[in-house]
Amino acid sequence: QVQLVESGGGLVQAGGSLRLSCAASGRTFSSYTMGWFRQAPGKEREFVAAISWSGGSTRYADSVKGRFTISRDSAKNTVYLQMNSLKPEDTAVYYCAASKNPIATWKGAFGSWGQGTQVSVSS
């Protein structure tokens, strides 16, 4: 398994931007599909974005497509989520996750999770 630590959350006004980072431990980082999920109070954890082990394929939830960008830097064992044009409905705890499945987008495919970072967007 890989250990994951998220950072970069915070409070931002609607229309603003944040970049989340997820640092992974272990030398096998480059073999994992990496994903971002989020969970708002009282709601299920939902898929946000995923990137393949090579970085060549990405997937996004419809709600964030065109506003969020996922990327990875294998030299730094880090995956990023650039979030632009943020909306109040983006408010949630954001989790980084790792999967051995190619370009997985469902929770059950991810076996390693970070502790989460809070993102709050004010209107």
Side-chain angles (χ1 to χ4, degrees), residues 60-69 84-85:
Y60 296 94
D62 288 343
S63 58
V64 306
K65 207 170 289 184
R67 300 187 297 123
F68 291 11
T69 303
N84 298 329
S85 302

Side-chain angles (χ1 to χ4, degrees), residues 11 54 79 82 99:
L11 174 64
S54 68
V79 62
Q82 178 66 44
S99 173

Side-chain angles (χ1 to χ4, degrees), residues 17-121:
S17 298
L18 280 175
R19 189 177 80 156
L20 305 183
S21 299
C22 173
S25 64
R27 293 175 290 178
T28 59
F29 170 76
S30 60
S31 67
Y32 286 87
T33 289
M34 299 299 297
W36 287 96
F37 289 76
R38 66 186 182 187
Q39 187 166 17
K43 294 189 176 181
E44 294 287 323
R45 191 171 300 188
E46 65 175 4
F47 169 76
V48 175
I51 187 166
S52 63
W53 66 271
S54 68
S57 295
T58 56
R59 297 288 188 273
Y60 296 94
D62 288 343
S63 58
V64 306
K65 207 170 289 184
R67 300 187 297 123
F68 291 11
T69 303
I70 189 171
S71 61
R72 66 190 299 161
D73 185 338
S74 292
K76 296 182 178 180
N77 278 13
T78 300
V79 62
Y80 304 98
L81 185 68
Q82 178 66 44
M83 305 185 295
N84 298 329
S85 302
L86 282 161
K87 304 175 182 179
E89 51 263 45
D90 294 318
T91 295
V93 177
Y94 282 71
Y95 297 90
C96 175
S99 173
K100 295 295 276 185
N101 286 277
I103 200 60
T105 61
W106 59 100
K107 281 186 301 185
F110 289 80
S112 299
W113 293 84
Q115 83 289 350
T117 186
Q118 177 70 47
V119 170
S120 298
V121 184

